[in-house]
Amino acid sequence: MRIFSILYSFLDRLIQAGGAVAGILIILATCMTTFDVIARSVFNQPTVWATELCIYAIIGSCFLGSAYTLRTYSHITVDLLINIVPRKVQKVLGYVSNVFGFVFSLIFTIYSLEHVLNTYRLGTTSSSLLRVPMYLPEMFLPIGGLLLCFAFILQIVDGGVSKGGGHL
Amino acid sequence: MNITFFLGGMAALLLIGIPVAFALGLLAIGGMYLFNGGTFSFSQIPIISYKSLDDFTLTALSMYVLMSQVLVVSGVGRDLYEMASKWFRHLPGGLAIATLFCCAIFAAISGSSVATAVTVGAVALPEMTKRGYDKRTVLGLLAAGGTLGILIPPSVPMIIYGSVTGESIGKLFVAGIIPGILLTIIFMIYASWKTRHIKEKPATWSERIEASKTAIWGLILPIIVIGGIYTGVFTPTEAAAIGAMISILIAIFVYKNFTFSNIKKIVLSTVKTNAMILMLIVGAMLLGYIMTILQIPQTITQFAISQDVSPWVIFILINIVLLILGCFLETISILVITLPILYPIITALGFNPIWFAVIMVVNMELALITPPVGLNLFVLKGLDKTNTIAEIVKGVVPYVVIMIMFIVVLAIFPELTTILIGKVQ
Amino acid sequence: QSSSTTGQQSNKGTNNEYEPVTIRLAYNLPQDHHISVGIENFAKTVTEKSGGNVKIQVYPAGQLLSDKEMNQAILTGGVEMGVNSSTLWASTVPAMGIFDVPYAFPNYELAGKALSGELREKLNKAMEEKGVKVLMYADYGYAQFANNVRQLKSPEDFKGLKIRSIGDIPSEMIKAYGASPVFLGAGEVYTALQRKTIDGATSGTTAMLQRHYDEVAKYLTINNYSYLEFILAVNKSFWDRLPEKTKNLLSETAQQTEQWIREQAKAEDERTAKELEEKGMEVYVVPESDLPKWKEAAKPARDVYIERAGDLGKELLNIVETIN
Ligand code: NA
Ligand code: NA
């Protein structure tokens, strides 16, 4: 049983790390864009990289941060029905919805991985001066997807909890 | 047949408590499997998911979220309130006016209504109840005033509208300025009349100036953000970055409360809100993709514009649908789900899409305060354990009426949204 | 349920008839653009000529896919056919960047001539190796510069300007001329020009007119530096499964459409440039005698193309230069 609890806390840490990296990416995006504005308006010399890298960072922040967001019940959920059904039904619905979420994440991860490999084989780059190999930013999808799979598994392990989320 | 599957599936998945983003994604996968060649089209899932976020204008969203979180944690809200109460407290219902003034200013620096309600609510609620304002009135005022956050630019829903439809976000922001100020003033007049029996002795001029000095940073931010966009020093996206950066600098050097635990709090709540919104967009885009493949939006649009009725009838119907959806769904979800269908209808009927964006945002403001699902209601409930949703809802009713009337005004005078843009497309 | 058989042929149909098939075709240009008109007409003609058996379902104007993910969708069979710019194809098939090489195609006639010979074959082969069959090269027209600061009478006039760019090779040229390429979403260019966030932008005059550049930019420089090309591409494994008869119908109709579009490109470029002038833009047409100077100054962009596209790139440039 001990191995399971180690595994559980390992996965949980992994998901938290994903959240931390997502936060760093948002801050990086902010810094890069600010730098670009200053470079352009003060030094009349816009960068060729800021816009593009900023987009990659934000894409990363979504997929890497999504599992953490799930674990902290911050994805918007409609809890109209959940709140009025008996405790037992609530528990069952909790399991059902987490299994559904896991199925989505699994399909998402598998096909994203396949897609990344395909892009790698084709050698597609971004069509800008940077010519970033596109499989690199696309990697955020399968990695984020895998974290989401873990997150839904942990939710199932935790039992049929179903809490609505939402902070905006 | 298809439509039944999507509507029924959506209701079922949402009701059993699957987060909206994943419910949309699952529905898309189900639609692909059933109507588009089995697992064959699953290869499009990563392509569409990536595409839905591959947009520089959308990155503004994350940075406005960051800025809002910084402002919530730093003391900007408190100082603004302090200033506003010194200037307005001698008027009838002075603190109500002050609170709405704060809401408007905070709206002008944050893209979010919840950030506005939380920040202003946290200082105004205890203060106003202490000075004898009826609690229900205060709660309604705060819930409604908070919604100004998405009408007065910058605005997260406007960014989403622009990103989904391709309309210029700069223009959308500018279109929200006059309606935002006007709605603030209408709210002020009503709130002041409603609480007219409460008046306080005026603050001295030196008190007023002193309070204004402290609050200056909160006032400078909107000038930089909106002014920068309007004068063209930077684009809306860049304004978001600059705004976030300045708010961080203010927190570090002016408020000096950028402790490690505060930073962690800011970053993690930014990550949560950010991933929540962006995943919703991903889910909605996946669903939009399969619906477009199946020509569902095209069919609905054709149906709507082929009706032998005045475009205004369809316009009114759209608003009713939005009002109903607004009771049950959260604003970003409504936008991303309905825009792919509504936008073609609106443009086909010859309405100005920028004007419609403002109408849509006022509808989203309503969604924030209509029960049973209204984020601002929940936020105020969260501020103080003794608040009940029923109490807040009762306080909010007059504002719902005002906002519906305001939509009518905007429909009659579309110039209110377009005059600042100058050039109407 | 027709959509469940989309992209696959059923075995019905006699020898004389076309095998029933539904082909999904997506494009991202505005519906009234001449390429769009040609493509819509192509779809209609194929459907008619096949007696309704070969049905082309068109998803216009970015309704289904935007330019950025179009290629991936075609390559993976998300749609069977799609129209996208050669510039974007160049990020998967570098040789496709040939159309972006500054001043490689000096006029419409020579461009048409180049595209009917060896150049076409070699490009098609490079595309097929990655998994797409090219059905049509649709001419968009030449790319030009609009700006708000001064008339660009020589490459030196670009110094210090901030110009919204399209694709990597045009950006290299903008850099080589001493200006800074800026990256902006297409929707923000108008506002950015209006508020002077950027000084100028490059695009075809057809797009400039559509996006009302005349309201926000003063100068138009006609230097015909890049011959923008749009590719109608088909997923290769889908193509290979089509019966000969259907392939022939598609190829022939595509060929006719290509000719029609080529004629339109020239007429449209001229019409829109004139209209922009009538609407108040100051137009400067770079005289032919000056072009060698412009071409020479853009050499770094040409070198980048060779660096990216390798031997095939050199071969293609040779072919083009021999024709010229
Ligand atoms: Na705002
Ligand atoms: Na609501």
Side-chain angles (χ1 to χ4, degrees):
Chain A
M1 268 0 260
R2 205 179 130 63
I3 181 88
F4 281 111
S5 78
I6 290 172
L7 191 62
Y8 182 100
S9 63
F10 172 73
L11 292 180
D12 212 27
R13 294 260 173 82
L14 212 59
I15 290 166
Q16 282 170 22
V21 175
I24 292 166
L25 287 173
I26 297 173
I27 291 168
L28 273 178
T30 309
C31 294
M32 289 188 292
T33 310
T34 308
F35 182 86
D36 193 37
V37 178
I38 295 170
R40 193 191 61 224
S41 55
V42 181
F43 301 102
N44 205 37
Q45 200 52 247
T47 70
V48 296
W49 46 265
T51 307
E52 190 173 342
L53 296 186
C54 176
I55 294 174
Y56 299 150
I58 295 302
I59 291 174
S61 76
C62 167
F63 293 108
L64 297 185
S66 195
Y68 173 73
T69 307
L70 183 82
R71 290 288 283 161
T72 50
Y73 301 100
S74 305
H75 281 297
I76 296 282
T77 306
V78 176
D79 46 11
L80 284 179
L81 184 69
I82 304 288
N83 285 341
I84 53 170
V85 295
R87 191 86 188 89
K88 260 189 179 163
V89 184
Q90 220 175 58
K91 223 168 150 66
V92 174
L93 289 182
Y95 278 116
V96 172
S97 66
N98 283 320
V99 169
F100 266 116
F102 175 73
V103 170
F104 170 84
S105 310
L106 193 64
I107 295 175
F108 181 87
T109 310
I110 292 170
Y111 283 88
S112 297
L113 192 61
E114 193 187 295
H115 178 66
V116 169
L117 294 174
N118 195 28
T119 308
Y120 180 77
R121 266 197 303 273
L122 284 168
T124 304
T125 62
S126 66
S127 93
S128 67
L129 285 175
L130 289 187
R131 292 181 205 104
V132 173
M134 285 311 288
Y135 74 89
L136 290 175
E138 284 175 355
M139 287 277 272
F140 285 131
L141 275 74
I143 296 173
L146 194 63
L147 289 178
L148 266 175
C149 288
F150 293 154
F152 276 111
I153 292 174
L154 297 190
Q155 296 295 90
I156 294 167
V157 172
D158 285 353
V161 251
S162 196
K163 276 198 244 169
H167 307 276
L168 196 66
Chain B
M1 172 59 215
N2 295 340
I3 297 180
T4 329
F5 167 81
F6 287 112
L7 284 178
M10 171 109 70
L13 291 175
L14 290 181
L15 282 177
I16 65 170
I18 299 176
V20 182
F22 300 104
L24 296 172
L26 278 163
L27 209 52
I29 289 181
M32 285 179 182
Y33 187 81
L34 290 176
F35 308 120
N36 198 35
T39 58
F40 170 75
S41 50
F42 286 6
S43 62
Q44 303 308 298
I45 296 169
I47 298 177
I48 303 302
S49 302
Y50 186 92
K51 157 253 180 106
S52 51
L53 304 183
D54 186 11
D55 177 359
F56 186 55
T57 51
L58 198 57
T59 62
L61 193 149
S62 314
M63 297 186 265
Y64 281 126
V65 171
L66 173 64
M67 180 165 91
S68 299
Q69 300 301 340
V70 174
L71 292 171
V72 168
V73 173
S74 71
V76 176
R78 191 191 55 230
D79 285 353
L80 277 175
Y81 187 77
E82 201 49 42
M83 179 196 80
S85 69
K86 296 258 158 56
W87 281 92
F88 295 115
R89 72 179 189 207
H90 59 287
L91 299 169
L95 286 190
I97 298 176
T99 298
L100 283 164
F101 178 82
C102 275
C103 285
I105 297 293
F106 203 83
I109 44 183
S110 94
S112 142
S113 280
V114 169
T116 308
V118 167
T119 318
V120 181
V123 274
L125 182 61
E127 198 65 20
M128 287 180 77
T129 42
K130 205 168 71 194
R131 312 269 186 99
Y133 284 81
D134 167 45
K135 192 171 172 195
R136 187 196 289 172
T137 310
V138 178
L139 288 169
L141 172 79
L142 282 168
T147 69
L148 293 168
I150 58 171
L151 181 60
I152 298 174
S155 153
V156 167
M158 290 282 200
I159 297 173
I160 289 170
Y161 188 97
S163 159
V164 173
T165 66
E167 293 295 334
S168 155
I169 290 165
K171 282 186 191 173
L172 291 171
F173 278 6
V174 172
I177 295 177
I178 290 183
I181 294 172
L182 198 59
L183 190 57
T184 310
I185 294 172
I186 297 172
F187 281 176
M188 279 177 174
I189 292 171
Y190 169 77
S192 158
W193 171 80
K194 170 97 188 181
T195 56
R196 60 194 176 279
H197 55 284
I198 306 179
K199 265 190 230 174
E200 294 179 39
K201 76 169 182 24
T204 64
W205 280 98
S206 69
E207 277 177 319
R208 290 179 192 182
I209 288 161
E210 200 50 46
S212 305
K213 272 187 197 158
T214 329
I216 194 81
W217 295 104
L219 293 170
I220 279 176
L221 255 180
I223 294 171
I224 294 173
V225 172
I226 314 277
I229 296 170
Y230 201 70
T231 56
V233 179
F234 31 74
T235 65
T237 314
E238 295 168 344
I242 300 278
M245 214 47 145
I246 295 176
S247 67
I248 290 172
L249 293 178
I250 292 174
I252 294 175
F253 294 109
V254 181
Y255 290 95
K256 302 196 169 65
N257 56 1
F258 226 52
T259 60
F260 181 75
S261 79
N262 271 349
I263 295 174
K264 201 173 148 191
K265 202 160 114 191
I266 290 166
V267 171
L268 290 182
S269 55
T270 304
V271 167
K272 284 186 264 184
T273 308
N274 177 62
M276 180 272 282
I277 301 176
L278 295 184
M279 272 313 275
L280 260 172
I281 294 176
V282 170
M285 289 288 187
L286 285 170
L287 185 60
Y289 170 80
I290 183 63
M291 297 220 298
T292 308
I293 280 270
L294 301 176
Q295 306 241 304
I296 293 172
Q298 295 93 315
T299 315
I300 296 176
T301 309
Q302 276 310 317
F303 177 77
I305 59 179
S306 68
Q307 297 307 299
D308 192 23
V309 292
S310 151
W312 289 103
V313 173
I314 297 175
F315 173 80
I316 291 167
L317 283 178
I318 288 175
N319 277 284
I320 292 173
V321 170
L322 287 175
L323 185 67
I324 295 170
L325 285 178
C327 292
F328 300 99
L329 283 173
E330 168 282 332
T331 56
I332 310 291
S333 322
I334 301 174
L335 281 170
V336 291
I337 294 170
T338 61
L339 268 181
I341 293 169
L342 292 185
Y343 181 76
I345 295 180
I346 284 300
T347 46
L349 290 176
F351 289 114
N352 179 338
I354 302 273
W355 161 80
F356 182 69
V358 177
I359 299 274
M360 190 108 183
V361 169
V362 179
N363 266 300
M364 295 306 99
E365 289 188 80
L366 273 168
L368 286 164
I369 54 171
T370 48
V373 180
L375 271 188
N376 273 20
L377 305 177
F378 300 157
V379 164
L380 288 175
K381 167 98 183 76
L383 271 186
D384 181 347
K385 293 257 164 5
T386 63
N387 301 341
T388 68
I389 291 282
E391 199 177 15
I392 305 168
V393 168
K394 277 178 197 154
V396 131
V397 170
Y399 295 94
V400 170
V401 175
I402 291 176
M403 278 148 87
I404 292 174
M405 285 181 344
F406 189 62
I407 292 178
V408 176
V409 170
L410 289 176
I412 299 171
F413 304 105
E415 300 81 14
L416 290 171
T417 64
T418 52
I419 199 155
L420 276 187
I421 305 172
K423 200 97 208 164
V424 186
Q425 274 190 322
Chain C
Q1 206 7 291
S2 70
S3 49
S4 62
T5 56
T6 302
Q8 301 142 18
Q9 311 85 268
S10 70
N11 295 320
K12 281 175 277 171
T14 61
N15 285 341
N16 302 329
E17 272 185 17
Y18 287 95
E19 250 179 55
V21 60
T22 301
I23 302 171
R24 290 170 300 195
L25 186 163
Y27 68 83
N28 189 44
L29 291 161
Q31 253 171 315
D32 51 355
H33 191 274
H34 68 265
I35 292 182
S36 311
V37 175
I39 293 292
E40 294 278 358
N41 206 28
F42 162 79
K44 226 173 69 195
T45 313
V46 169
T47 308
E48 274 169 19
K49 282 196 178 162
S50 65
N53 281 338
V54 181
K55 193 170 171 294
I56 300 189
Q57 169 73 60
V58 182
Y59 297 92
Q63 201 180 68
L64 186 66
L65 296 162
S66 79
D67 49 358
K68 276 186 185 168
E69 70 278 0
M70 181 76 73
N71 298 353
Q72 292 180 323
I74 302 167
L75 285 161
T76 53
V79 287
E80 286 73 38
M81 281 188 191
V83 183
N84 206 6
S85 73
S86 58
T87 311
L88 280 160
W89 274 111
S91 53
T92 301
V93 181
M96 267 295 172
I98 184 83
F99 299 102
D100 292 328
V101 174
Y103 313 99
F105 299 89
N107 62 50
Y108 300 88
E109 290 71 28
L110 286 176
K113 198 170 150 203
L115 273 170
S116 61
E118 221 187 332
L119 178 83
R120 186 188 195 104
E121 278 162 34
K122 291 200 188 256
L123 282 174
N124 285 1
K125 190 159 159 277
M127 291 283 276
E128 272 169 45
E129 277 164 13
K130 298 285 185 176
V132 284
K133 153 94 187 159
V134 178
L135 215 48
M136 188 195 301
Y137 288 84
D139 297 5
Y140 185 95
Y142 281 105
Q144 323 291 6
F145 285 95
N147 90 92
N148 253 323
V149 178
R150 56 181 164 259
Q151 191 55 273
L152 307 171
K153 295 196 168 172
S154 80
E156 289 85 61
D157 291 333
F158 278 73
K159 273 227 169 67
L161 299 186
K162 290 168 284 193
I163 295 175
R164 192 255 176 176
S165 176
I166 42 167
D168 56 342
I169 296 174
S171 304
E172 296 283 1
M173 186 184 89
I174 291 170
K175 251 171 62 185
Y177 283 179
S180 305
V182 178
F183 300 92
L184 271 185
E188 295 298 335
V189 180
Y190 179 95
T191 329
L193 278 170
Q194 185 182 37
R195 314 241 164 96
K196 313 270 190 287
T197 317
I198 52 173
D199 301 313
T202 176
S203 184
T205 47
T206 47
M208 288 183 187
L209 187 67
Q210 235 147 21
R211 294 191 176 273
H212 308 282
Y213 277 27
D214 54 283
E215 296 165 2
V216 288
K218 197 161 172 216
Y219 305 104
L220 171 63
T221 312
I222 307 270
N223 63 346
N224 289 353
Y225 76 93
S226 154
Y227 196 66
L228 303 172
E229 200 64 52
F230 276 66
I231 314 289
L232 173 60
V234 192
N235 178 288
K236 180 118 187 339
S237 63
F238 170 76
W239 176 260
D240 290 341
R241 280 183 279 122
L242 286 174
E244 277 309 309
K245 199 174 156 73
T246 310
K247 282 185 192 167
N248 290 338
L249 173 68
L250 289 168
S251 303
E252 279 161 26
T253 317
Q255 211 175 5
Q256 288 155 12
T257 312
E258 181 172 323
Q259 272 315 315
W260 183 85
I261 291 177
R262 190 149 297 138
E263 287 154 24
Q264 297 304 307
K266 189 176 182 183
E268 281 292 288
D269 272 358
E270 281 162 5
R271 179 184 70 82
T272 49
K274 214 175 118 203
E275 206 165 314
L276 287 170
E277 186 166 26
E278 279 162 10
K279 293 196 163 185
M281 285 187 90
E282 281 178 34
V283 180
Y284 175 76
V285 183
V286 176
E288 222 164 299
S289 57
D290 276 9
L291 281 176
K293 189 175 75 181
W294 288 68
K295 188 173 176 178
E296 183 53 35
K299 197 167 169 294
R302 188 174 179 275
D303 295 342
V304 167
Y305 171 70
I306 295 173
E307 185 196 312
R308 289 214 71 205
D311 290 339
L312 180 57
K314 267 187 225 160
E315 273 177 56
L316 294 179
L317 274 178
N318 275 335
I319 295 170
V320 173
E321 272 152 22
T322 327
I323 294 173
N324 298 349

